[in-house]
């Protein structure tokens, strides 16, 4: 019974992504959601309602920071591509994730990968993310600062 909420949420997400509200598509979305839940078998989590407003605020801040990072890094990559005279030093840097939960670590790696010019190529068991950057000389400091802010927000979201 505790799988009903995630199935409904996944079905609604499927319908929002497909923008098709025909009966067969609703049934297909429901079946896909059931299969995902059967494969993942999420464990029920107790919701701390006192922390809920802070969690929602942290989630909104996280999305705003992510959108800002996407825009800024997109402009930087466009500048690099359009002006080949800029000296860049591509390379792989190691960023240690201090997230306590696996979900937060995964979202953190996903946020790094989404930003243009950076890609998490591997994660070790201790949470170290090996990230390829277009300019590794500048990216290490910038990624560490962004990493600190993202980890702080993700910990508030997943606590």
């Amino acid at each position: 019974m505790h799988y009903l909420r995630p199935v409904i949420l996944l079905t609604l997400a499927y319908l929002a992504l497909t923008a098709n509200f025909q009966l067969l598509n609703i049934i297909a979305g429901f079946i896909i959601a059931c299969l995902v839940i059967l494969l993942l078998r999420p464990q029920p989590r107790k919701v701390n309602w006192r922390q809920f407003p802070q969690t929602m605020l942290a989630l909104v801040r996280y999305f705003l920071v992510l959108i800002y990072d996407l825009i800024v890094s997109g402009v930087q990559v466009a500048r690099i591509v359009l002006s080949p005279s800029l000296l860049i030093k591509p390379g792989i840097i190691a960023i240690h994730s201090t997230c306590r939960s696996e979900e937060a670590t995964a979202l953190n790696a996903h946020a790094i990968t989404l930003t243009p010019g950076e890609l998490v190529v591997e994660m070790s068991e201790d949470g170290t993310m090996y990230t390829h950057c277009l300019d590794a000389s500048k990216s290490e400091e910038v990624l560490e600062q962004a990493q600190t802010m993202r980890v702080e927000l993700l910990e508030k979201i997943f606590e």
Side-chain angles (χ1 to χ4, degrees):
M1 186 67 173
H2 68 274
Y3 291 142
L4 184 61
R5 186 176 357 157
V7 167
I8 291 172
L9 290 174
L10 284 174
T11 303
L12 290 175
Y14 174 82
L15 292 174
L17 289 172
T18 61
N20 180 356
F21 298 102
Q22 294 179 352
L23 181 61
L24 287 178
N25 194 47
I26 294 171
I27 293 170
F30 182 76
I31 291 171
I32 291 170
C34 287
L35 290 174
V36 167
I37 294 300
L38 284 175
L39 289 173
L40 296 179
R41 298 203 188 266
Q43 299 301 316
R45 293 179 59 176
K46 187 170 180 126
V47 177
N48 186 351
W49 292 105
R50 291 183 183 184
Q51 295 280 329
F52 190 73
Q54 293 173 340
T55 301
M56 287 294 112
L57 182 63
L59 187 63
V60 169
R61 283 185 58 211
Y62 176 77
F63 280 123
L64 291 175
V65 166
L66 185 61
I67 290 169
Y68 176 78
D69 287 346
L70 288 171
I71 292 169
V72 168
S73 62
V75 169
Q76 290 172 345
V77 169
R79 218 176 86 213
I80 290 170
V81 170
L82 295 175
S83 176
S85 63
L86 287 175
L87 299 173
I88 60 170
K89 296 179 182 176
I92 294 178
I93 60 174
I95 303 170
H96 184 69
S97 177
T98 57
C99 296
R100 291 186 293 252
S101 69
E102 289 182 7
E103 295 92 355
T105 303
L107 272 178
N108 194 11
H110 184 64
I112 292 172
T113 300
L114 273 179
T115 54
E118 299 159 357
L119 175 70
V120 175
V121 291
E122 187 175 342
M123 283 184 67
S124 65
E125 291 292 324
D126 65 348
T128 302
M129 297 177 283
Y130 297 97
T131 307
H132 180 272
C133 303
L134 282 179
D135 195 359
S137 61
K138 296 178 184 174
S139 292
E140 192 163 3
E141 314 142 357
V142 174
L143 281 176
E144 286 294 333
Q145 291 173 346
Q147 172 79 357
T148 304
M149 184 183 336
R150 274 195 306 267
V151 166
E152 182 180 302
L153 291 172
L154 287 170
E155 289 299 325
K156 286 180 183 176
I157 293 169
F158 286 107
E159 63 181 23

